[in-house]
């Protein structure tokens, strides 16, 4: 075994000097370096943007889709869609652990899901066992490498694999809510009715305690009703988050003009930055989880209205995020039932 | 006086329901002000450099044409938001009138000389006459009036330094002020793009707050700015590197910090693809402050997750309470910096 870089740069073939994600080609030789883990891969959970692109390019023909996936991995040493740039995650079993991989974390035979993107994971596919154009989960015979810095979750025995995966996919959001929200806070969750929104609401309700408020802003009536039925908020506002003044006035009405201590933005449409900024009180926090967030709109927007608030870029990783998220599924029967119905 | 909205929505003519910045047209009637507004007698417009360059090119460098284009923008929009670049700038003027609702609440009085620190792209403006265009510094002297909203930020121009020097520092006041608030004694701080205007101010504040037990590392690109920063003697360590090369910079920082990495990384460099460098040089649970407008939100968010880094990433907010005072104080405290700023920017 050879000593290697924590971030996996020793696997980069081209261009030299880049990290594995932006790299064009990775070395997918399945002999591990001393700080790596070898995974016997069972299922690829392909990112939905990537899977849709592959499906459209192949006219939903399963055989052609298989060919396309194989050829991407053949060429790049990883399953990074050249059009969308995205990857996905995988499920497998630990087959070999390098001597220098952090000790006592994993053991041989553990069933794990990788939480780092397939867009940076060295992968070698031996055969595709099952691919159905309607499901982005593809069963394979394959091997993959987890780097020393790579994130993973050991799959629990008490939660079905697919349910666990659906929740782990957005594990960063509720974990960050847990860090930011304290007792008595007023919290606004914009886009509270989606997958990550629901988990955030649950965690926020736990943290604010009996004197705090959790205000959900949700566009869809159906999603809003669900939040009310599951008792995941103290107040629910049905509104379009891009309509700044409307949302601002409604949130101010609920908070008695105080504004919110913490605002979490989960809504995947552009131009909701100003709404998030205005409903937050001075010295408060806005946590942007939406990938549709524009950096400049947030930065210049806060300055334009003279708001001294902390604008935070959502980090999909926080220590302990997988456990916290799986625990929500264990604690909340309604959320578990809902996720089982929708996502599995 | 009529009652106004804190953010100036009452001045928006169209489209209805938006804030003054995205609005196409603002009401710039200054004969009567709302009760929470401040009327400014404008002396100088400091046009955003992207905006001024565009106008200058469109006019072929002809000053009469530049004046014509500027008058036309304000006539159409009631504010000076460049229709091509979308940007504004700031202005210098004297307080002429203060709305009833602000009396006793604001620290301003009639006759105070101020610079607005909110963009011209959201400031109601009327230009009566263009007096002088100074193309080399993007400044235009005018006769005219402007409105500062209740939420609008400003700085009083101090008596103890030249106007231009104060303006050049106020332009980037957010960065050093946020540095002052973030950095604690004993911290190791990396400043990327340390040789530029806001970078130098950040270095000064970082060293002041980190103290003798802390360490400030300044990273510059060009040889010239590296030498300048070394001469200023603000940092414990200065080196030259390319911020778009994460692996090389990571190794350098590992060496300097003996593998400890940085508590706080402040990114001031206005080029793309420097997110990963900032993330990798920061220790777990550390803070990355992105001041660069070239930062990509998704590259930062997905990048940190991709390398399993539990850092807090903050979007640089140009405003924080007291930012003007903190920044002007630097120029009073550091004679060397004041000299460099006077030479380069004033």
């Amino acid at each position: 075994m050879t000593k290697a870089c924590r971030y996996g740069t020793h696997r980069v073939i081209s261009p030299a000097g880049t990290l594995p994600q932006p790299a064009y080609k990775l070395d997918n030789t399945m002999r591990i370096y001393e700080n790596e883990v070898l995974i016997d891969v069972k299922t690829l959970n392909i990112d939905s943007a990537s899977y849709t692109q592959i499906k459209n390019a192949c006219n939903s023909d399963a055989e052609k889709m298989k060919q396309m996936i194989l050829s991407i991995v053949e060429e790049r040493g990883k399953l990074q869609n050249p059009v969308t740039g995205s990857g996905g995650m995988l499920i497998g079993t630990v087959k070999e652990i390098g001597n220098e991989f952090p000790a006592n974390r994993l053991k041989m035979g553990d069933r794990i899901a990788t939480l780092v993107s397939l867009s940076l994971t060295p992968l070698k596919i031996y055969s595709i066992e099952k691919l159905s154009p309607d499901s982005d989960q593809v069963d394979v015979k394959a091997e993959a490498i987890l780097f020393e810095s790579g994130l993973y979750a050991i799959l629990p025995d008490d939660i079905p694999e697919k349910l666990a995966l659906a929740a782990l996919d957005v594990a960063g959001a509720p974990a960050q809510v847990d860090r930011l929200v304290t007792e008595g806070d007023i919290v606004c969750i914009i886009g509270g009715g989606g997958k990550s929104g629901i988990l955030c609401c649950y965690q926020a309700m736990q943290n604010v305690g009996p004197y705090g408020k959790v205000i959900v802003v949700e566009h869809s009536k159906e999603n809003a009703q669900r939040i009310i039925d599951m008792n995941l908020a103290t107040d629910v506002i049905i509104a379009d988050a891009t309509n700044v003044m409307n949302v601002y006035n409604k949130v101010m009405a609920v908070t008695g003009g105080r504004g919110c201590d913490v605002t979490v933005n989960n809504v995947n449409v552009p131009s909701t930055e100003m709404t998030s900024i205005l409903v937050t009180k001075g010295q408060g926090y806005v946590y942007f989880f939406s990938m549709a967030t524009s950096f400049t709109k947030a930065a210049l927007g806060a300055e334009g209205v003279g708001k001294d608030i902390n604008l935070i870029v959502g980090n999909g990783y926080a220590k302990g995020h997988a456990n916290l998220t799986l625990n929500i599924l264990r604690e909340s029967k309604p959320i578990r039932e809902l996720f089982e119905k929708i996502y599995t | 006086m009529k009652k106004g909205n804190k953010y100036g929505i009452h001045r928006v003519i169209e489209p209805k329901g938006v804030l003054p910045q995205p609005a196409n047209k603002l009401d710039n009637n200054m004969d009567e002000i709302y009760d929470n507004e401040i009327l400014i007698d404008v002396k100088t417009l400091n046009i955003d450099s992207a905006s001024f360059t565009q106008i200058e090119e469109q006019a072929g460098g002809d000053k009469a044409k530049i004046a014509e284009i500027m008058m036309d923008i304000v006539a159409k929009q009631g504010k000076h938001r460049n229709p091509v670049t979308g940007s504004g700038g700031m202005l210098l003027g004297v307080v002429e009138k203060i709305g009833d609702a602000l009396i006793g609440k604001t620290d301003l009085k009639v006759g105070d000389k101020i610079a607005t620190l909110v963009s011209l792209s959201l400031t109601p403006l009327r230009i009566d006459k263009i007096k002088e265009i100074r193309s080399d510094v993007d400044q235009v002297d005018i006769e005219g009036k402007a409105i500062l909203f209740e939420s609008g930020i400003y700085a009083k121009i101090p008596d103890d330094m030249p106007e231009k020097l104060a303006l050049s520092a106020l332009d980037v006041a957010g960065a050093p002020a946020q540095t002052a608030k973030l950095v604690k004694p004993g911290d190791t701080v990396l400043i990327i793009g340390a040789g530029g205007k806001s970078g130098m101010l950040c270095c000064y504040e970082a060293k002041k707050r980190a103290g003798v037990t802390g360490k400030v590392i300044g990273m510059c690109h060009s040889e010239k700015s590296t030498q300048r920063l070394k001469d200023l003697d603000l940092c414990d360590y200065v080196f030259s590197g390319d911020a778009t090369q994460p692996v090389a910079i990571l190794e350098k920082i590992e060496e300097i910090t003996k593998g400890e990495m940085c508590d706080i990384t402040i990114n001031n460099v206005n080029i793309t693809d420097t997110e990963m460098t900032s993330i990798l040089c920061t220790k777990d649970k550390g803070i990355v402050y992105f001041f660069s407008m070239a930062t990509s939100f998704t590259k930062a968010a997905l990048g940190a997750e991709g390398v399993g880094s539990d850092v807090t990433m903050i979007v640089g907010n140009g405003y924080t309470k007291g930012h003007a005072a903190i920044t002007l104080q630097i120029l009073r405290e550091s004679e060397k910096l004041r000299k460099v700023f006077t030479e380069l920017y004033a």
Side-chain angles (χ1 to χ4, degrees), chain A residues 232-249:
Chain A
L232 288 176
T234 54
D235 301 84
V236 176
I237 295 169
I238 300 176
D240 174 356
T242 63
N243 191 333
V244 182
M245 292 322 291
N246 180 34
V247 176
Y248 171 74
N249 290 330

PDB file of all heavy atoms in Angstrom, chain A residues 232-249:
ATOM      1  N   LEU A 232     -45.935  20.525  12.694  1.00  0.00           N
ATOM      2  CA  LEU A 232     -44.502  20.786  12.559  1.00  0.00           C
ATOM      3  C   LEU A 232     -44.172  22.276  12.567  1.00  0.00           C
ATOM      4  O   LEU A 232     -43.051  22.665  12.272  1.00  0.00           O
ATOM      5  CB  LEU A 232     -43.977  20.160  11.268  1.00  0.00           C
ATOM      6  CG  LEU A 232     -43.878  18.630  11.279  1.00  0.00           C
ATOM      7  CD1 LEU A 232     -43.452  18.114   9.927  1.00  0.00           C
ATOM      8  CD2 LEU A 232     -42.904  18.159  12.358  1.00  0.00           C
ATOM      9  N   ALA A 233     -45.164  23.114  12.866  1.00  0.00           N
ATOM     10  CA  ALA A 233     -44.906  24.550  12.908  1.00  0.00           C
ATOM     11  C   ALA A 233     -45.908  25.195  13.850  1.00  0.00           C
ATOM     12  O   ALA A 233     -46.956  24.626  14.141  1.00  0.00           O
ATOM     13  CB  ALA A 233     -45.045  25.152  11.507  1.00  0.00           C
ATOM     14  N   THR A 234     -45.563  26.393  14.346  1.00  0.00           N
ATOM     15  CA  THR A 234     -46.542  27.124  15.146  1.00  0.00           C
ATOM     16  C   THR A 234     -47.401  28.001  14.237  1.00  0.00           C
ATOM     17  O   THR A 234     -48.533  28.319  14.572  1.00  0.00           O
ATOM     18  CB  THR A 234     -45.842  28.021  16.186  1.00  0.00           C
ATOM     19  OG1 THR A 234     -44.899  28.861  15.513  1.00  0.00           O
ATOM     20  CG2 THR A 234     -45.104  27.179  17.225  1.00  0.00           C
ATOM     21  N   ASP A 235     -46.850  28.399  13.099  1.00  0.00           N
ATOM     22  CA  ASP A 235     -47.585  29.237  12.151  1.00  0.00           C
ATOM     23  C   ASP A 235     -47.231  28.825  10.733  1.00  0.00           C
ATOM     24  O   ASP A 235     -46.066  28.564  10.444  1.00  0.00           O
ATOM     25  CB  ASP A 235     -47.192  30.712  12.325  1.00  0.00           C
ATOM     26  CG  ASP A 235     -47.476  31.231  13.726  1.00  0.00           C
ATOM     27  OD1 ASP A 235     -46.621  31.031  14.620  1.00  0.00           O
ATOM     28  OD2 ASP A 235     -48.553  31.802  13.917  1.00  0.00           O
ATOM     29  N   VAL A 236     -48.237  28.776   9.863  1.00  0.00           N
ATOM     30  CA  VAL A 236     -47.978  28.427   8.468  1.00  0.00           C
ATOM     31  C   VAL A 236     -48.509  29.547   7.570  1.00  0.00           C
ATOM     32  O   VAL A 236     -49.650  29.983   7.712  1.00  0.00           O
ATOM     33  CB  VAL A 236     -48.647  27.085   8.094  1.00  0.00           C
ATOM     34  CG1 VAL A 236     -48.450  26.793   6.609  1.00  0.00           C
ATOM     35  CG2 VAL A 236     -48.077  25.950   8.932  1.00  0.00           C
ATOM     36  N   ILE A 237     -47.632  30.021   6.691  1.00  0.00           N
ATOM     37  CA  ILE A 237     -48.013  31.077   5.752  1.00  0.00           C
ATOM     38  C   ILE A 237     -47.979  30.489   4.346  1.00  0.00           C
ATOM     39  O   ILE A 237     -46.953  29.944   3.931  1.00  0.00           O
ATOM     40  CB  ILE A 237     -47.031  32.268   5.833  1.00  0.00           C
ATOM     41  CG1 ILE A 237     -47.134  32.935   7.209  1.00  0.00           C
ATOM     42  CG2 ILE A 237     -47.287  33.265   4.712  1.00  0.00           C
ATOM     43  CD1 ILE A 237     -46.022  33.941   7.489  1.00  0.00           C
ATOM     44  N   ILE A 238     -49.100  30.583   3.642  1.00  0.00           N
ATOM     45  CA  ILE A 238     -49.103  30.107   2.258  1.00  0.00           C
ATOM     46  C   ILE A 238     -48.805  31.300   1.364  1.00  0.00           C
ATOM     47  O   ILE A 238     -49.582  32.252   1.310  1.00  0.00           O
ATOM     48  CB  ILE A 238     -50.453  29.478   1.883  1.00  0.00           C
ATOM     49  CG1 ILE A 238     -50.721  28.284   2.804  1.00  0.00           C
ATOM     50  CG2 ILE A 238     -50.455  29.020   0.415  1.00  0.00           C
ATOM     51  CD1 ILE A 238     -52.063  27.642   2.608  1.00  0.00           C
ATOM     52  N   ALA A 239     -47.656  31.287   0.719  1.00  0.00           N
ATOM     53  CA  ALA A 239     -47.266  32.428  -0.108  1.00  0.00           C
ATOM     54  C   ALA A 239     -46.144  32.028  -1.048  1.00  0.00           C
ATOM     55  O   ALA A 239     -45.452  31.041  -0.830  1.00  0.00           O
ATOM     56  CB  ALA A 239     -46.807  33.578   0.781  1.00  0.00           C
ATOM     57  N   ASP A 240     -45.973  32.866  -2.087  1.00  0.00           N
ATOM     58  CA  ASP A 240     -44.886  32.698  -3.041  1.00  0.00           C
ATOM     59  C   ASP A 240     -43.657  33.414  -2.461  1.00  0.00           C
ATOM     60  O   ASP A 240     -43.679  34.626  -2.255  1.00  0.00           O
ATOM     61  CB  ASP A 240     -45.331  33.335  -4.362  1.00  0.00           C
ATOM     62  CG  ASP A 240     -44.222  33.352  -5.390  1.00  0.00           C
ATOM     63  OD1 ASP A 240     -43.084  32.936  -5.063  1.00  0.00           O
ATOM     64  OD2 ASP A 240     -44.493  33.790  -6.515  1.00  0.00           O
ATOM     65  N   ALA A 241     -42.596  32.665  -2.208  1.00  0.00           N
ATOM     66  CA  ALA A 241     -41.425  33.227  -1.523  1.00  0.00           C
ATOM     67  C   ALA A 241     -40.701  34.286  -2.353  1.00  0.00           C
ATOM     68  O   ALA A 241     -39.896  35.048  -1.825  1.00  0.00           O
ATOM     69  CB  ALA A 241     -40.447  32.119  -1.145  1.00  0.00           C
ATOM     70  N   THR A 242     -40.985  34.359  -3.643  1.00  0.00           N
ATOM     71  CA  THR A 242     -40.333  35.398  -4.449  1.00  0.00           C
ATOM     72  C   THR A 242     -41.059  36.739  -4.311  1.00  0.00           C
ATOM     73  O   THR A 242     -40.551  37.760  -4.744  1.00  0.00           O
ATOM     74  CB  THR A 242     -40.290  35.024  -5.951  1.00  0.00           C
ATOM     75  OG1 THR A 242     -41.620  34.918  -6.433  1.00  0.00           O
ATOM     76  CG2 THR A 242     -39.567  33.707  -6.178  1.00  0.00           C
ATOM     77  N   ASN A 243     -42.249  36.712  -3.738  1.00  0.00           N
ATOM     78  CA  ASN A 243     -42.991  37.951  -3.547  1.00  0.00           C
ATOM     79  C   ASN A 243     -42.576  38.574  -2.208  1.00  0.00           C
ATOM     80  O   ASN A 243     -43.193  38.358  -1.162  1.00  0.00           O
ATOM     81  CB  ASN A 243     -44.492  37.651  -3.578  1.00  0.00           C
ATOM     82  CG  ASN A 243     -45.309  38.920  -3.656  1.00  0.00           C
ATOM     83  OD1 ASN A 243     -44.867  39.976  -3.212  1.00  0.00           O
ATOM     84  ND2 ASN A 243     -46.504  38.824  -4.205  1.00  0.00           N
ATOM     85  N   VAL A 244     -41.511  39.354  -2.247  1.00  0.00           N
ATOM     86  CA  VAL A 244     -40.820  39.812  -1.042  1.00  0.00           C
ATOM     87  C   VAL A 244     -41.750  40.503  -0.046  1.00  0.00           C
ATOM     88  O   VAL A 244     -41.835  40.114   1.121  1.00  0.00           O
ATOM     89  CB  VAL A 244     -39.681  40.799  -1.418  1.00  0.00           C
ATOM     90  CG1 VAL A 244     -38.938  41.247  -0.180  1.00  0.00           C
ATOM     91  CG2 VAL A 244     -38.741  40.158  -2.405  1.00  0.00           C
ATOM     92  N   MET A 245     -42.449  41.542  -0.505  1.00  0.00           N
ATOM     93  CA  MET A 245     -43.185  42.367   0.444  1.00  0.00           C
ATOM     94  C   MET A 245     -44.365  41.619   1.058  1.00  0.00           C
ATOM     95  O   MET A 245     -44.688  41.810   2.226  1.00  0.00           O
ATOM     96  CB  MET A 245     -43.645  43.669  -0.229  1.00  0.00           C
ATOM     97  CG  MET A 245     -42.508  44.602  -0.574  1.00  0.00           C
ATOM     98  SD  MET A 245     -41.167  44.671   0.654  1.00  0.00           S
ATOM     99  CE  MET A 245     -41.959  45.484   2.035  1.00  0.00           C
ATOM    100  N   ASN A 246     -44.991  40.772   0.290  1.00  0.00           N
ATOM    101  CA  ASN A 246     -46.111  39.984   0.793  1.00  0.00           C
ATOM    102  C   ASN A 246     -45.666  39.077   1.941  1.00  0.00           C
ATOM    103  O   ASN A 246     -46.263  39.057   3.013  1.00  0.00           O
ATOM    104  CB  ASN A 246     -46.702  39.170  -0.372  1.00  0.00           C
ATOM    105  CG  ASN A 246     -47.885  38.329   0.069  1.00  0.00           C
ATOM    106  OD1 ASN A 246     -48.651  38.727   0.939  1.00  0.00           O
ATOM    107  ND2 ASN A 246     -48.013  37.150  -0.517  1.00  0.00           N
ATOM    108  N   VAL A 247     -44.581  38.351   1.721  1.00  0.00           N
ATOM    109  CA  VAL A 247     -44.082  37.449   2.755  1.00  0.00           C
ATOM    110  C   VAL A 247     -43.600  38.256   3.965  1.00  0.00           C
ATOM    111  O   VAL A 247     -43.888  37.916   5.111  1.00  0.00           O
ATOM    112  CB  VAL A 247     -42.947  36.551   2.209  1.00  0.00           C
ATOM    113  CG1 VAL A 247     -42.364  35.683   3.311  1.00  0.00           C
ATOM    114  CG2 VAL A 247     -43.461  35.682   1.072  1.00  0.00           C
ATOM    115  N   TYR A 248     -42.897  39.350   3.691  1.00  0.00           N
ATOM    116  CA  TYR A 248     -42.389  40.200   4.767  1.00  0.00           C
ATOM    117  C   TYR A 248     -43.529  40.674   5.681  1.00  0.00           C
ATOM    118  O   TYR A 248     -43.460  40.540   6.901  1.00  0.00           O
ATOM    119  CB  TYR A 248     -41.653  41.396   4.161  1.00  0.00           C
ATOM    120  CG  TYR A 248     -41.257  42.475   5.146  1.00  0.00           C
ATOM    121  CD1 TYR A 248     -40.206  42.269   6.027  1.00  0.00           C
ATOM    122  CD2 TYR A 248     -41.939  43.690   5.192  1.00  0.00           C
ATOM    123  CE1 TYR A 248     -39.835  43.257   6.930  1.00  0.00           C
ATOM    124  CE2 TYR A 248     -41.579  44.681   6.085  1.00  0.00           C
ATOM    125  CZ  TYR A 248     -40.531  44.463   6.953  1.00  0.00           C
ATOM    126  OH  TYR A 248     -40.168  45.445   7.846  1.00  0.00           O
ATOM    127  N   ASN A 249     -44.597  41.195   5.054  1.00  0.00           N
ATOM    128  CA  ASN A 249     -45.712  41.699   5.852  1.00  0.00           C
ATOM    129  C   ASN A 249     -46.358  40.604   6.682  1.00  0.00           C
ATOM    130  O   ASN A 249     -46.713  40.810   7.837  1.00  0.00           O
ATOM    131  CB  ASN A 249     -46.752  42.370   4.939  1.00  0.00           C
ATOM    132  CG  ASN A 249     -46.223  43.676   4.354  1.00  0.00           C
ATOM    133  OD1 ASN A 249     -45.404  44.356   4.986  1.00  0.00           O
ATOM    134  ND2 ASN A 249     -46.661  44.011   3.145  1.00  0.00           N
TER     135      ASN A 249
END
